[in-house]
């Protein structure tokens, strides 16, 4: 309900428009409504978001949380004046991490900090957050919009979020049962996702390039390609847990293969990735070529076309791939677990 009594000319003179904040909330409510799932107790506007989880069939409930932001990919959104997809990235970066633990995301909260509160732009941002929540099967139960003139430019904003999921302790993906010989399965990415953009922006010189020019190599404009939202793997991973013995999963974000895959492996085991198996997306070929970036640095910065890596018994690799494909994610054999430490791409 709009508060018609709340207004401050002094605060407005300092650059903060309280009434614009109220309008933004009204505009975003239709998007938030799309994310409502069983368990949501409260509406947006309160001091906290309330959620009552269904614990049926869960013997030892464990809450799993994840938090992240969109990073400097937002600069591309500013340049393109397109704000309805970065919210998907924000959700994806959080819920994909939660799913890697073997938990189902329950709810999400966002934080939008703006230089100037333009209600329509804030609503567009939140529409993307809502779409990400729908894709992940979780609810958007709250958030915060902060107007910070003098800290951010009038056309700038930052976006971060926080997700909470629920898992059963005995079914969490701890990686403890991973052993040599297990198969590594690649889950294809949708593009650059939401990391490495400080390097991406330098390579493409985005401040001085027309991002709307069509690229034959990319099959789209550079701007469209770079703004492609991060793929959300929650539902495919949850389905995979039901279909096979999923032992571990790694979300390939900042640090690429070398930093993220070892995070899901126990001490004494490493990942042997077959280089020729990696289906590198054209955007990464372009980044490497334009930036004259060594291939090892590319694999240590970007997902290279692999947004998630799953670990399953070798005997269940084909079944895992079929399950993932049936759930809308292109998947293929990436390599295997071997004795050692770290990652070898050969």
């Amino acid at each position: 309900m709009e508060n018609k009594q709340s207004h401050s000319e002094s605060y407005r003179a300092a650059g903060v428009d309280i009434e614009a904040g109220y309008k933004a909330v009204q505009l975003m409510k239709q998007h938030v409504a799309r994310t409502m799932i069983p368990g949501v107790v409260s509406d947006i506007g309160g001091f906290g978001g309330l959620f009552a989880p269904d614990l049926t069939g869960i013997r030892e409930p464990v809450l799993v949380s994840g938090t992240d932001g969109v990073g400097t990919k937002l600069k591309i959104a500013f340049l393109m004046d397109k704000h309805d997809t970065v919210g998907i990235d924000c959700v994806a970066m959080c819920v994909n991490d939660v799913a890697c633990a073997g938990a189902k995301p329950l709810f999400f909260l966002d934080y939008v900090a703006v230089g100037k509160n333009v209600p329509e732009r804030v609503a567009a941002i939140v529409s993307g957050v809502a779409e990400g929540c729908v894709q992940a099967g979780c609810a958007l139960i709250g958030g915060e919009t902060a107007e910070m003139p003098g800290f951010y430019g009038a056309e700038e904003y930052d976006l971060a979020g926080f997700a909470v999921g629920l898992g059963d302790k005995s079914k969490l993906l701890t990686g403890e049962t991973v052993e040599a010989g297990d198969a590594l399965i690649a889950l294809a990415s949708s593009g650059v996702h939401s990391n490495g953009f400080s390097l991406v922006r330098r390579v493409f010189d985005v401040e001085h390039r027309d991002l709307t020019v069509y690229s034959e190599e990319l099959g789209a404009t550079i701007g469209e390609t770079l703004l492609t939202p991060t793929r959300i793997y929650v539902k495919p991973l949850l389905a995979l847990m039901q279909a096979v013995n999923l032992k571990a999963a790694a979300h390939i974000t900042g640090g690429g293969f070398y930093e993220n895959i070892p995070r899901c492996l126990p001490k004494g085991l490493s990942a042997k990735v077959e280089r020729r198996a990696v289906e590198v997306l054209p955007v990464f070929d372009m980044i490497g070529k334009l930036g004259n970036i060594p291939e090892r640095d590319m694999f240590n910065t970007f997902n290279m076309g692999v947004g998630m890596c799953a670990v399953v018994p070798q005997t269940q690799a084909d079944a895992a791939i079929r399950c993932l494909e049936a759930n809308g994610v292109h998947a293929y054999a990436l390599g295997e677990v071997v004795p050692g430490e770290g990652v070898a791409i050969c």
Side-chain angles (χ1 to χ4, degrees):
M1 182 175 179
E2 183 179 353
N3 188 337
K4 295 183 179 180
Q5 286 188 306
S6 180
H7 60 272
S8 171
E9 292 303 323
S10 298
Y11 213 5
R12 185 195 293 268
V16 178
D17 189 344
I18 298 174
E19 293 166 78
Y22 296 145
K23 182 178 180 181
V25 171
Q26 291 302 314
L27 291 176
M28 70 177 69
K29 281 188 174 182
Q30 60 179 314
H31 305 299
V32 174
R34 296 179 56 218
T35 75
M36 293 300 99
I37 61 174
V40 176
V41 176
S42 60
D43 194 3
I44 61 171
F47 289 103
L50 309 181
F51 193 93
D54 181 2
L55 302 180
T56 304
I58 300 179
R59 299 181 61 182
E60 294 183 87
V62 176
L63 294 177
V64 180
S65 61
T67 186
D68 210 335
V70 182
T72 63
K73 183 174 184 173
L74 292 175
K75 289 281 191 179
I76 310 299
F78 303 162
L79 292 168
M80 295 288 290
D81 193 23
K82 181 174 173 55
H83 312 284
D84 60 349
T85 61
V86 290
I88 301 175
D89 290 290
C90 189
V91 175
M93 298 301 287
C94 299
V95 297
N96 284 343
D97 283 356
V98 169
C100 277
K104 173 180 170 51
L106 298 177
F107 58 82
F108 187 84
L109 289 87
D110 61 5
Y111 175 77
V112 186
V114 302
K116 178 177 175 57
N117 192 338
V118 179
E120 293 77 11
R121 184 167 61 206
V122 173
I125 295 167
V126 175
S127 75
V129 175
E131 173 59 26
C133 288
V134 170
Q135 292 182 24
C138 65
L140 176 58
I141 63 170
E144 174 70 12
T145 302
E147 190 171 16
M148 303 168 66
F151 195 86
Y152 295 100
E155 303 301 317
E156 296 179 335
Y157 57 84
D158 199 4
L159 175 61
F162 177 84
V164 171
L166 178 67
D168 197 328
K169 186 176 181 180
S170 65
K171 299 177 182 178
L172 294 179
L173 303 179
T174 63
E176 293 177 358
T177 62
V178 173
E179 57 188 352
D182 283 341
L184 303 175
I185 305 298
L187 283 66
S189 71
S190 57
V192 184
H193 283 183
S194 192
N195 68 275
F197 270 84
S198 294
L199 178 55
V200 168
R201 290 185 298 109
R202 181 183 67 77
V203 167
F204 283 110
D205 191 19
V206 296
E207 302 285 351
H208 305 98
R209 180 189 292 268
D210 185 353
L211 299 178
T212 66
V213 174
Y214 184 83
S215 167
E216 292 287 346
E217 186 176 347
L218 299 175
T221 69
I222 292 175
E224 289 169 339
T225 300
L226 296 181
L227 273 185
T228 300
T230 303
R231 176 164 280 154
I232 292 177
Y233 298 98
V234 172
K235 293 178 181 178
L237 272 184
L238 293 176
L240 190 61
M241 288 180 66
Q242 297 297 316
V244 302
N245 178 19
L246 178 60
K247 296 185 174 185
H251 186 196
I252 312 302
T253 56
F257 283 46
Y258 288 102
E259 183 173 323
N260 291 290
I261 297 179
R263 295 169 66 182
C264 76
L265 302 177
K267 186 175 178 61
L269 294 178
S270 66
K272 180 183 178 183
V273 174
E274 298 291 341
R275 171 62 184 86
R276 61 186 177 183
V278 182
E279 298 179 8
V280 179
L281 296 177
V283 66
F284 296 114
D285 288 330
M286 183 178 285
I287 292 170
K289 187 186 307 179
L290 287 177
N292 193 29
I293 302 171
E295 186 171 81
R296 193 195 184 287
D297 287 358
M298 291 293 294
F299 274 92
N300 207 158
T301 305
F302 302 108
N303 68 63
M304 299 300 283
V306 180
M308 187 80 71
C309 177
V311 183
V312 301
Q314 194 68 242
T315 56
Q316 297 182 13
D318 290 342
I321 292 171
R322 288 194 299 270
C323 174
L324 291 166
E325 294 277 356
N327 282 274
V329 178
H330 176 48
Y332 55 91
L334 184 65
E336 66 176 334
V337 177
V338 297
E341 297 289 339
V343 175
I345 301 176
C346 50

